[in-house]
Amino acid sequence: MITCSAPGKIYLFGEHAVVYGENAICCAVDIRTRVTVEPDDEVTIVSVLGTTGLDHDIHPYVSAVVERMSELASFEGIRITIRSDLPVGSGLGSSAAVTVATIKALDVMYNCGLDNAAIASMGHEIEMCVQGAASPTDTYVCTMGGVVRIPQRRSLESLDCGIVIGNTHTFSSTRELVEHVADLRQRYPDVISPILSSIGNLSNSGEDLVNSRSYSDIGGLMNINQGLLDAIGVGNAKLSSLIHAASAAGAMGAKITGAGGGGCMVALVDQSCVKDVADAILAAGGDPIITDATELGLRVDSST
Ligand code: MEV
């Protein structure tokens, strides 16, 4: 029996723009998805979504991983159990985390010899197949951990300030939101392309601030990024209300993280007011998650 886990991630800057080759800065967070695999006679996938066999509707990522890994290793069946602290479909990289953790668990069980770079790359291919569009960002950061500048894949200093996430509990489709931005960009290229470039430029300015741990300035740039995300139509009233509540409670910066349209927002917070910000998010109707940055990417938790 093998158990592997991978962290979720937040975007400090750059979601959506990264799809067009712009810069982004992402940070792995200490909320993990654990995947246990054990040999069995048939394929069984167990999660909070239900117990299924290969099922591309209920367990699309894990089913795709099983099919792909069965090209590298010969196995009749496998029992896969997923336990995740990451809310599903909420912009925290839950699909990337479950995908790379499942690849790693099968890789270890059947000695396929995949290194982390190969796992991240296979994870990206699988996200592309399932979602239709995906940048390699989520699978890379969930595999490697830490704070990473994309697309350069440059590791930055870790964040040691507070991170408070607010879950709106409204599901959003990454595919639909990416299509929405693509459509806007096609209709109004002279308007939308500069906005996407400006989002990329925030990452350029943000890199030095991350490395010098200038959290208040990072927060200021996150607020600008939020305005630009609203401008391309990936915000909504619930996200805005959690973002404003976090800012009013003292967050240094607050924005959508991930595709938007629902899902989660993230606030960068001085350690002294983490609780105030979490309480404000709760009072505004969101579900607060207090977490930290983590350097710990994909790993084998146990092997028996
Ligand atoms: C989704 O977590 C982030 C997007 O930029 C899409 C992607 O990068 O694949 C919206």
Side-chain angles (χ1 to χ4, degrees):
M1 186 188 295
I2 313 281
T3 299
C4 291
S5 68
K9 63 96 200 48
I10 55 161
Y11 274 87
L12 290 180
F13 311 108
E15 51 274 268
H16 287 290
V18 75
V19 174
Y20 300 95
E22 298 290 348
N23 295 302
I25 298 181
C26 279
C27 170
V29 287
D30 196 18
I31 317 171
R32 300 184 77 83
T33 293
R34 292 185 172 74
V35 175
T36 300
V37 298
E38 44 198 318
D40 205 348
D41 296 337
E42 54 188 22
V43 175
T44 307
I45 306 171
V46 183
S47 77
V48 287
L49 302 175
T51 299
T52 69
L54 279 182
D55 187 319
H56 289 278
D57 292 322
I58 294 176
H59 292 124
Y61 297 96
V62 175
S63 297
V65 170
V66 171
E67 286 174 350
R68 181 75 178 80
M69 290 300 285
S70 66
E71 294 164 14
L72 303 183
S74 128
F75 54 91
E76 280 298 299
I78 189 84
R79 185 176 181 84
I80 301 176
T81 306
I82 301 151
R83 285 162 294 136
S84 185
D85 296 329
L86 284 165
V88 175
S90 60
L92 299 181
S94 61
S95 57
V98 76
T99 300
V100 299
T102 308
I103 297 172
K104 179 76 179 174
L106 292 172
D107 171 65
V108 173
M109 176 150 279
Y110 297 110
N111 294 311
C112 300
L114 299 174
D115 62 13
N116 275 354
I119 290 173
S121 161
M122 186 189 288
H124 176 226
E125 280 168 32
I126 285 167
E127 282 212 319
M128 288 285 282
C129 287
V130 174
Q131 291 172 197
S135 73
T137 315
D138 289 19
T139 41
Y140 184 81
V141 178
C142 294
T143 301
M144 304 301 179
V147 182
V148 186
R149 175 167 165 163
I150 300 290
Q152 297 80 0
R153 301 187 167 184
R154 191 152 61 230
S155 287
L156 310 185
E157 284 297 314
S158 189
L159 302 180
D160 60 3
C161 61
I163 297 173
V164 184
I165 290 164
N167 189 357
T168 62
H169 283 294
T170 42
F171 176 80
S172 69
S173 157
T174 298
R175 180 183 195 136
E176 282 170 23
L177 286 148
V178 168
E179 280 171 6
H180 160 78
V181 175
D183 181 51
L184 264 190
R185 182 170 169 266
Q186 196 180 10
R187 284 162 63 197
Y188 309 111
D190 294 346
V191 177
I192 302 300
S193 295
I195 295 176
L196 296 171
S197 298
S198 291
I199 293 176
N201 289 337
L202 289 169
S203 304
N204 300 343
S205 305
E207 176 169 359
D208 285 347
L209 299 176
V210 170
N211 284 336
S212 61
R213 303 199 155 149
S214 307
Y215 299 126
S216 167
D217 291 336
I218 297 169
L221 292 187
M222 287 171 70
N223 292 335
I224 295 172
N225 196 157
Q226 172 56 25
L228 297 173
L229 288 168
D230 265 341
I232 58 172
V234 298
N236 70 12
K238 188 81 200 171
L239 282 163
S240 292
S241 115
L242 301 192
I243 288 164
H244 287 296
S247 298
M252 294 180 280
K255 61 180 274 296
I256 290 166
T257 182
C264 289
M265 50 70 68
V266 62
L268 219 61
V269 180
D270 187 85
Q271 297 287 6
S272 63
C273 63
V274 159
K275 187 172 179 315
D276 290 346
V277 170
D279 287 348
I281 288 171
L282 186 65
D287 191 3
I289 306 170
I290 297 172
T291 187
D292 293 305
T294 182
E295 293 294 304
L296 204 61
L298 180 60
R299 70 164 188 189
V300 180
D301 289 332
S302 64
S303 168
T304 54

